[in-house]
Amino acid sequence: MALSQFVLKIVSRCDLSCDHCYVYEHPDQSWRRQPRTMAPATVTVAARRIAEHATAHQLGTVRVVLHGGEPLLAGASGIDAVAGELRRHLDPVTRLDLRMQSNGVLLTEEVAEVLVAHGITVGVSLDGDRAANDLHRRYASGASSHAKVLRALALLRRPEFRPSYAGLLCTVDLTNDPVTVYRALLAEDPPRIDFLLPHANWDRPPPRPAGARTAYADWLLAVHRAWTADGRPVPVRLLDSLLAMAEGDSSGTEAVGLAAADLAVIETDGSYEQVDSLKSAYDGAPATGLDVFDHAIDKVAVHPLIAIRQAGLAGLCGTCRACPVVRQCGGGLFTHRYRSDTGFDNPSVYCADLAHLVQGVTDPPPMAQPRSPAAGGPADLVIPTPRVPGGAAAHPAPTGTEPDALDPAVLDDLGSGYGSTASVHQLAAVHLAKTRALLVALSPAVAGQAVTAPAWDLLVDFDVTAPAAVRTVLAHPFVRRWAYRCLAVPASADLGHLARIAAAVAVRAGAAVDLDVPVRDGQLSLPTLGVLRMPDVAGPVRLAIADGGFRVSGDERSGPVASGHRPPGWRPARRVDTSGTLIEDTDPYRGCYQDLVVAPRLSAGAAGRWAAQLASADRRDDVGGYAPGVRGLLRAVVPLRPDRRGRQRSATAASAFGAVAMTPVPDAAALAVLLVHEVQHLKLDGVLDVCELVDRRDTRLLTVPWREDPRPVEGVLHGTYAHLAVADIWRHRAGAQATAQYRRYRAWTDHALDELLGLGALTPVGQRFAGRMRATVDSWP
């Protein structure tokens, strides 16, 4: 789990006395115990911690926001010293995005020169014209701050200081006229405007007129109408985020959407806190009990409430998960869900407002013209926010450098039916990130438990010290399947499997550790390595792991399970020599293919025949452009019991990305076709899991030539993508049978593409994806 955003509280006091401030006016009063300014030594240690974290997790960019209190109270020299120390430690290891949030009243030319010199962009708080701003943003004496804020903004608009002008932050107050506020903000020529709902929760609900359930949405929709009528002259972060998500893109704010929150706060005394708006919930809400002097940032990243905020849909309450607008709303700001009796497991106190706002912003006006789905090149393609099966948000965790979405050019490439090696690798990387996100979603459940908590800590450590071992184990399809099942059916979750995963990583890393690992159903299963049968053991056993193997402590019969040693009961995982693909016949989570029954452990002879046939199929050169998909995505083949009628059966499961299950195949030529067919399903499952290609509100069924029963649109898209590849393989083979098969599969593909492209049930991204398939088929002679 990596954190890439940090709020550095360089000052804990403020020169204004805003009555809606969550730091000073809400339940948490910890500011009273904080040093007034952050000591230089604390700045240095904090900078080192952030640099260590960025290096360990290979972060391309780290954002640090200088905050308070009011950070300008540090003065030009203080800001210069803090920024210089941050740049000294971070510039050599990552790109530092340095920002500041300020009320602006103390901004001077000297300070502005420091901001520009260090590349600091500053967001200034302003609630509108003088009347609106003075409702809350006053000095303790009651004097107005408005004129000084406008003077600061005039300074930032000067050409030499304009690079440091980030934008305006405005807190909504229903007593102010929304359009008047919007126009007053627009007059300051900001690069961006950010509207915030006042911090509130179910114990301290926001003020609103009696019976006005959606008053805050109505206020913001009035701004939206004026902004739209003006031609959207400036980005408005909340409205832009809702519009982007409606088009399938990601949110730009944690206030809406399901993107993972990856932020920590460092207070002036060096203590780590969670997002500081939690101060409005209850006293001590943001505390972690950790600090920069004794704890690495990895320890902060696995804090249960931070993990929940990274879990996307899985971190929301049942009401939110069932809501039709949850992917845009995202449950609202985490802080706004608090209720003293149920914690944060609630909808936002602004729930009705958010639902109304999403609908009002994203529903086009009646005469709006739809955008042409085929217009433009890859830069015009909109890629939706990744989604994890069952709900967890798809962002990297525990750490890793995997991307969390597909590049538009990659989606175009995969849409052709083929997919280059680079595109396939990006798809695999996105889904490794999704497995990480699933583990983060589970982390609150494993925290504090005797067996699983040490295993989680071990995984986090290995993610830094042995990342290749972590990637290898997390990429195993049935690690993902296990995590998926734990989230989908928590009542029967086998959380102890996390310890088996950690043990497998430790063995692969060659580490020397002792770890308690549960035995389940008489088996100790280590993903990617094998299974140790222990039929007489019911509880956890302690593994002494060292030198790439392990011994069961207290059982000398077990011996060190390592290369060249096979103690009784050890069933190692088998691999295909040419490709490294697992012949998976031991993992307890491999039985996920509906009515298909997985085969028991294969005999040595049967396993040898599978391996030889898979190796022969891998060496064939008649699968053309589909070979990268098979070699890049196929992690495991799961043998199925032969069908009683002698039919060839095969399947994939979206929750076990990277695995193909199949009954025995007669020869390598047939196996090559079958593997390509099923890997096409894997590829499309992978794409559908991160991109909305089909309008899920459209429930129409299509009749297709390869099935007797009408099929849903997504099912037809799946079949078409697979049959395109099969047709292409037969196109390159010689003989009458090959010609007949080519004509058959091409006809099926032609028919289905015509139906899909003409139905209107695909999203713009889906329409473009199907159009790429059509272009491929039309290119064949």
Side-chain angles (χ1 to χ4, degrees), residues 75-77 107-115 155 161:
S77 60
L107 188 68
T108 63
E109 285 194 23
E110 184 183 9
V111 171
E113 287 168 356
V114 170
L115 297 180
L155 192 63
F161 301 133

Side-chain angles (χ1 to χ4, degrees), residues 51-214:
E52 289 167 2
H53 191 71
T55 301
H57 298 280
Q58 301 177 39
L59 299 178
T61 300
V62 167
R63 177 180 297 174
V64 177
V65 181
L66 306 182
H67 211 286
E70 172 48 53
L72 293 183
L73 285 171
S77 60
I79 295 168
D80 180 57
V82 170
E85 192 70 358
L86 287 168
R87 292 221 170 269
R88 185 168 71 87
H89 288 278
L90 286 160
D91 280 347
V93 299
T94 188
R95 189 183 79 84
L96 175 59
D97 177 4
L98 195 52
R99 304 187 179 198
M100 177 186 289
Q101 185 61 43
S102 169
N103 61 35
V105 298
L106 294 177
L107 188 68
T108 63
E109 285 194 23
E110 184 183 9
V111 171
E113 287 168 356
V114 170
L115 297 180
V116 171
H118 288 288
I120 303 171
T121 58
V122 58
V124 177
S125 300
L126 181 68
D127 286 348
D129 60 11
R130 175 166 179 158
N133 200 67
D134 285 355
L135 281 178
H136 303 288
R137 298 189 185 278
R138 290 177 172 270
Y139 288 93
S141 65
S144 171
S145 65
H146 188 254
K148 291 183 178 179
V149 177
L150 294 193
R151 189 158 53 244
L153 296 177
L155 192 63
L156 288 173
R157 288 195 298 271
R158 282 167 44 176
E160 65 270 34
F161 301 133
R162 180 81 190 190
S164 286
Y165 189 8
L168 299 176
L169 183 150
C170 172
T171 300
V172 174
D173 188 312
L174 298 179
T175 60
N176 294 325
D177 178 73
V179 176
T180 301
V181 167
Y182 160 69
R183 301 253 177 251
L185 300 177
L186 195 63
E188 300 305 318
D189 192 20
R192 178 186 298 274
I193 297 173
D194 199 1
F195 289 103
L196 299 185
L197 294 171
H199 289 311
N201 54 57
W202 292 101
D203 289 355
R204 294 162 50 98
R208 66 173 73 237
R213 294 180 66 250
T214 61

Side-chain angles (χ1 to χ4, degrees), residues 453-472:
W456 176 259
D457 290 341
L458 199 61
L459 272 178
V460 171
D461 290 341
F462 281 137
D463 209 25
V464 176
T465 60
V470 174
R471 285 196 297 270
T472 297

Side-chain angles (χ1 to χ4, degrees), residues 417-449:
Y418 305 101
S420 66
T421 298
S423 296
V424 166
H425 284 173
Q426 188 181 116
L427 183 62
V430 166
H431 283 275
L432 178 56
K434 292 172 73 60
T435 299
R436 293 174 179 274
L438 285 167
L439 292 183
V440 168
L442 284 173
S443 62
V446 304
Q449 298 197 20

Side-chain angles (χ1 to χ4, degrees), residues 442-460 482 486 493-502 515-518 540:
L442 284 173
S443 62
V446 304
Q449 298 197 20
V451 172
T452 55
W456 176 259
D457 290 341
L458 199 61
L459 272 178
V460 171
W482 159 76
C486 286
D494 173 21
L495 295 177
H497 196 56
L498 182 73
R500 302 176 206 124
I501 292 167
L515 185 67
D516 289 332
V517 181

Side-chain angles (χ1 to χ4, degrees), residues 12-77:
S12 67
R13 303 299 191 267
C14 189
D15 50 341
L16 296 184
S17 185
C18 306
D19 60 14
H20 58 7
C21 180
Y22 60 82
V23 175
Y24 305 106
E25 303 297 332
H26 284 226
D28 187 292
Q29 291 291 296
S30 57
W31 65 273
R32 299 179 184 276
R33 302 184 292 274
Q34 290 291 338
R36 289 182 175 270
T37 59
M38 183 176 282
T42 305
V43 175
T44 297
V45 175
R48 286 176 181 162
R49 288 294 190 192
I50 298 171
E52 289 167 2
H53 191 71
T55 301
H57 298 280
Q58 301 177 39
L59 299 178
T61 300
V62 167
R63 177 180 297 174
V64 177
V65 181
L66 306 182
H67 211 286
E70 172 48 53
L72 293 183
L73 285 171
S77 60

